[in-house]
Each structure stands twice: as C-alpha cells, then as structure tokens.
Amino acid sequence: MMQKTKLATAIAVMCGLLAGTALAKPVKPAHYKMTTEVPEGIAIPDQVKTRLGTLKFFDGFPDDASVEKLYDNLDFQRAVQAYLLGLAPVSQVANRKGILEVGPANTTVPIFEQIMDAKSLFLTPNNNTPYTWFWLDLGKGPLVLEIPPKVLGLIDDMWYHFVTDLGFMGPDKGEGGKFLLLPPGYTGNVPEGYHVVRPATFNVWVAWRTFLKDGDPKPGVDSVKQLTKIYPLGQAENPPQLNFVNVSGRDFNTVAPADYPFWEYLNQVVQEEPTDSVDPITLGFWASVGIQKGKPFTPDARMKKILAEAALVGDATARAVSYRPRDTSAYFYPDSQSAWVNPMNASGYTFEDNGVRLLDMNTFFFFYATGITPAMDSKVVGQGSQYMGAFVDAKGKPLDGGKNYKLHLPPNIPVANFWSVILYDNQTRSMLQTDQHWPAVSSQTQGLQVNPDSSVDIYFGPKPPSGKESNWVQTIPGKGWNTLLRLYGPLQPWFDKTWRPGEIEAVK
C-alpha cells in the first residue's frame, strides 16, 4: 500500500510539471558534493505578488500565464518609453503636415503677416512678432536659402535636432546671407561663399521672426518677401518664384495626435529619414513596438491594444512631468516650487547634464514647445530670449479659468527689447481661444497701464477688473490654462535673480 501511494505521488508531480503548473513550494535539493549555498535574493519564490497579479514559477521557471503577463507588461513598458522618446519627431511630422497644407515645400513660404493669433493650433507660439514658417525638402539635392537681415530664426531637422541659427544669433549675425543646405550623404563639390549646413535629415523646418517697427509688422514682412530666396544649387541666376502666403487667422493644426495615430506618424518619419543620428537605445525602443527602418509596421490586435493604451499613458505622463515637474532643477527659484519653470533651466537646450540625458526635461520640452535652439537658452546679457512657464498658482493649485488671478511684475523689468505674458490651453498647448484675438499682455500692448514705479500688474479671469481692461487676459470657466513669461534681450538682473516676477495670486 505504501509503495502504491509513493508511485501515485510521483506520477502526480510529473503530470504537474508537464502541464507547466508551478508547485506551491519547490522541493529543496539534497546536498551534493558540488552544492553551493545560494545567497538570499538570487532565487525567485514559487509565487510572487506584483502589480501584474500573482506570478507563478516552478523552481524559477515561469508558468504560461505568467509568461503572457510579463510579455504584455514588457511590451507596454517599452511602448510608453517609445512614445516619450518619439514626442519630438512626431511633433515635427504634425508640424510639417499642417504647414504643407498651405503649399508644397521649397516653393511655399507661409508668413503670419498680422502676427499669429489664437485661431491656429501651434505649440506655445508668441503673438509679439510675425513668424515666417516653412519646410525644405533636400531629397533632390542641395538647396540655397537666402535670408533677409534683421531676423531671429533657426533650422531644426525631422528628429527635432538643432541644425543652425539664422539671423541675429546665426553665422550671418543678423546681416542676412546665403545658406547652403546639403542633404545627408552629400559628397559633391561645396562652393565657397555660403554658410554651409549639413542636416541629418532630408526634410528640415525653417522658421524665423521679424520685428515690429514703430509697432508695425509690415516693414519686416516686406523685407522677407523681397529678399527670401530658395533654389537648387546652380540656379542662382534664375531662382524659381516663391509663393508667399499670409496665414494670419488661418484655422489649421500643427499639433500631433496623442492616440494610436501617433505610432503611424512615428513610423512615417523612421521610414522616410536616415536614422544614423538617432541613438541605438531610442531606435531599440521603437523597434520593440514594431517600428524599424525598412520593415512594415503591422502590429497584431494584441499589440494594437497595447499601443493604444501606451499612447494614452504616454500622453498622461508627459502632462504630469510638464505641469507638475518633480525635477527641482527645472524651477527658477529654489524657495518656490509652485511656479516659474523651464526644462532648459536644468540643462540648456541639449537636455543633458554631464553626458546624462534628463529624460523628464526632454519630455517636458517636446510635449509643450516648438523649436529648439541655443538662442532660447542664451546666457548673453541683452541677447536671445528667456522663457519661464507657470502651470499653478502661488499655492500650487491648477490655474482655473473660472477664477480671477493677478500677476505682479516688479519695477524695471529687465529686457533690452520687450516682454510678454501669453496664455495657453492645457489641452492643446496652443494659445487659449477666447473672445480675445490675442490672449496676452506685453510691453507692446496698446494702452498698457504701467504703475508709477514702472511695475506692471496683469489680471486673468472671465471678466476684466473695472478700469483694467488693457492689462487683462480672458479665461474660460471650466477650462484650465497656463502661461509663459518671455523676456527678449534679458538683462543682468534677470540672470542674477535680483529681479524676480511675482507668482500668480488668486484674487476675489
């Protein structure tokens, strides 16, 4: 009878192993001549309770259900990271898509002749200067770009890598000039007399600002139309005619999707452009979700579900790290973490610190903003620009469009050129769309009320305080908002922090 019982037990154990069922407790092996005591922490228990549920193992080997859970989790984790690492190029694809609706690259030059307003969806643009905003395609060979004088601009590639500054902060020093853009892999002759630029991608985004003259944008816009040229190398004597399009007030979108189509945008740029300037780890994350150069992107139903959820979580994560940054180096003032942040404050425009990528700051910037250049983080007194954002009030509460607020800018605002405060929609990161043409107050605002000591008070709310209409920005009950304070030509008191803006105070 005893022998039958042992035999039945042995058969049951073997059947359990063959079925992949983890034993409740593995049998401790006997002590053999070559046995080594295994330190704590190396072996995994037969059952592990995790956020994925209970994972089961037979002597370290996961059962089928656990393997399925772990792979789903791995794919999801990698998809979220792939999403965050894809924010920059996907934003560029959306930017290009919206702009090319105006007309084809190389021959179309959109200009916001009356300054950009809240009608168009762009990531955190300004309404202080006219934008010229267009795309170049180097797929057919080198292009020459002639730019006018007195502009402030940049060229970024499709990965949102900085290529060069244009204008005041560029090699032309604001005098205008000829830039020769060479496509990736170009090995031909490079003539003299040009500022030579070698982008890492075939498609590049070009944008610059002109400036108001006595409050009038027209002189700068006219200069752009008269002096901007785009032509293939060798056609300088007979450049093709450009189509300048006034896009002020145009209703169109350049903001990227945050749901499943995000992945289709990402795949598009990976297939179209050289990827040798993208680091292998980033490419590995994208490949792990099925996006790899030269291969079709054909996720199955399981992976589509994971990617759709990962996009949602990725977008939510980007909103968390942007609107509630936990990296204290992003804050301008260590004694206050309720307002005034800038991801560049932590690292500059590279989002690196001693060779380490600051992932949250990289996410923050490319979720929230458009355009990357050292000029946006220039530490030269009186040159470039400085930006800082506020997403909460002085008590750390989200800014509520149904409430009233006040921002005090102390005397002697330290700018060589001008300053502005512009409101943005938390959802789109574009200008807040209200009854106001421009949701902003700036040193260029007509009728701006300046206090006797040169300080300025700005008001936010559904209705203006009596007599303060010129210093008021409209908000919408039930809708959140955020703001950027911009200083163009910041002066020394900004850099040494002897001048400091107030925080946004709720008022009754």
Side-chain angles (χ1 to χ4, degrees):
M1 184 68 178
M2 182 68 71
Q3 290 178 341
K4 289 183 180 180
T5 302
K6 289 181 178 180
L7 179 60
T9 301
I11 292 173
V13 169
M14 288 300 297
C15 288
L17 293 179
L18 293 172
T21 303
L23 298 178
K25 188 176 182 180
V27 177
K28 187 174 182 179
H31 191 86
Y32 295 96
K33 288 182 180 181
M34 299 302 293
T35 299
T36 300
E37 290 296 325
V38 178
E40 291 289 331
I42 294 178
I44 194 169
D46 292 344
Q47 293 190 8
V48 181
K49 292 183 178 180
T50 73
R51 65 178 58 193
L52 309 179
T54 299
L55 305 177
K56 298 180 179 180
F57 301 84
F58 165 67
D59 194 30
F61 193 101
D63 69 2
D64 290 347
S66 297
V67 168
E68 184 176 353
K69 289 178 182 177
L70 289 164
Y71 272 125
D72 281 350
N73 177 63
L74 183 61
D75 288 340
F76 178 74
Q77 286 185 357
R78 287 178 173 169
V80 172
Q81 296 307 315
Y83 181 97
L84 298 175
L85 292 169
L87 282 171
V90 169
S91 183
Q92 281 291 59
V93 174
N95 181 8
R96 183 181 63 182
K97 182 176 183 294
I99 293 300
L100 293 187
E101 290 175 1
V102 180
N106 301 349
T107 60
T108 308
V109 182
I111 309 179
F112 291 86
E113 294 188 17
Q114 285 76 49
I115 304 179
M116 190 184 297
D117 58 33
K119 194 73 172 176
S120 299
L121 297 181
F122 285 73
L123 293 181
T124 57
N126 77 50
N127 70 319
N128 308 114
T129 55
Y131 284 112
T132 302
W133 193 297
F134 58 97
W135 282 85
L136 299 179
D137 183 352
L138 307 179
K140 293 184 179 180
L143 287 178
V144 176
L145 168 65
E146 295 188 19
I147 73 168
K150 298 181 180 180
V151 302
L152 179 65
L154 55 80
I155 299 178
D156 286 346
D157 71 14
M158 282 301 293
W159 305 118
Y160 239 135
H161 296 158
F162 168 72
V163 177
T164 188
D165 282 313
L166 304 172
F168 290 115
M169 302 299 287
D172 62 294
K173 305 300 181 184
E175 298 296 323
K178 298 179 180 180
F179 288 76
L180 176 59
L181 284 74
L182 303 177
Y186 180 78
T187 58
N189 180 51
V190 180
E192 296 182 353
Y194 299 91
H195 302 294
V196 178
V197 180
R198 291 182 179 271
T201 61
F202 291 100
N203 286 268
V204 297
W205 170 53
V206 184
W208 63 64
R209 301 184 182 105
T210 52
F211 296 89
L212 307 183
K213 184 175 182 179
D214 299 324
D216 186 2
K218 190 173 185 301
V221 170
D222 287 345
S223 176
V224 170
K225 291 182 176 181
Q226 292 167 8
L227 300 175
T228 301
K229 296 180 181 179
I230 302 167
Y231 51 87
L233 183 62
Q235 293 188 19
E237 299 301 321
N238 187 29
Q241 185 174 357
L242 296 180
N243 180 26
F244 294 92
V245 181
N246 179 14
V247 289
S248 290
R250 185 184 179 99
D251 181 3
F252 65 116
N253 173 50
T254 65
V255 179
D259 53 0
Y260 184 82
F262 176 98
W263 304 108
E264 295 168 343
Y265 278 45
L266 180 59
N267 183 62
Q268 179 182 352
V269 68
V270 168
Q271 302 307 328
E272 290 178 352
E273 297 289 358
T275 58
D276 52 357
S277 65
V278 182
D279 67 271
I281 292 178
T282 295
L283 293 176
F285 273 111
W286 294 343
S288 73
V289 299
I291 295 174
Q292 190 170 4
K293 192 168 189 66
K295 296 184 178 181
F297 177 52
T298 55
D300 59 18
R302 180 193 75 92
M303 198 62 191
K304 282 185 176 179
K305 182 178 179 181
I306 288 173
L307 289 172
E309 184 182 1
L312 179 62
V313 172
D315 180 59
T317 302
R319 292 174 184 276
V321 301
S322 303
Y323 298 158
R324 292 285 197 181
R326 63 182 180 181
D327 186 340
T328 57
S329 62
Y331 292 87
F332 273 70
Y333 307 105
D335 61 336
S336 174
Q337 295 180 15
S338 62
W340 304 130
V341 296
N342 184 340
M344 290 186 182
N345 196 53
S347 62
Y349 79 101
T350 62
F351 310 107
E352 293 183 1
D353 182 21
N354 292 320
V356 176
R357 175 60 53 84
L358 302 182
L359 295 173
D360 284 0
M361 296 301 96
N362 189 79
T363 293
F364 182 172
F365 185 87
F366 290 110
F367 168 77
Y368 185 65
T370 302
I372 190 68
T373 164
M376 297 173 71
D377 189 50
S378 171
K379 298 298 191 295
V380 180
V381 173
Q383 295 186 25
S385 52
Q386 290 284 303
Y387 304 73
M388 57 181 183
F391 301 96
V392 295
D393 66 17
K395 294 183 178 180
K397 301 296 184 182
L399 296 166
D400 184 342
K403 297 180 179 180
N404 297 306
Y405 300 90
K406 177 181 176 181
L407 168 64
H408 180 69
L409 300 180
N412 303 313
I413 300 172
V415 289
N417 299 319
F418 58 90
W419 59 264
S420 72
V421 174
I422 304 177
L423 268 57
Y424 299 99
D425 186 320
N426 284 343
Q427 292 283 19
T428 65
R429 293 87 73 200
S430 303
M431 287 190 208
L432 190 66
Q433 295 181 328
T434 65
D435 292 327
Q436 291 180 314
H437 204 63
W438 295 293
V441 171
S442 79
S443 54
Q444 299 176 332
T445 296
Q446 292 187 354
L448 177 71
Q449 296 182 37
V450 180
N451 299 324
D453 64 355
S454 81
S455 67
V456 176
D457 293 313
I458 303 173
Y459 301 88
F460 314 98
K463 295 182 179 180
S466 179
K468 303 295 183 181
E469 288 82 2
S470 61
N471 289 39
W472 164 73
V473 187
Q474 184 180 10
T475 61
I476 303 171
K479 173 166 279 297
W481 56 274
N482 63 79
T483 188
L484 278 174
L485 169 62
R486 290 177 168 91
L487 291 86
Y488 293 92
L491 301 178
Q492 188 60 39
W494 163 258
F495 293 109
D496 63 24
K497 299 183 181 180
T498 56
W499 183 90
R500 172 176 172 170
E503 296 187 6
I504 298 173
E505 305 276 354
V507 295
K508 294 183 179 181

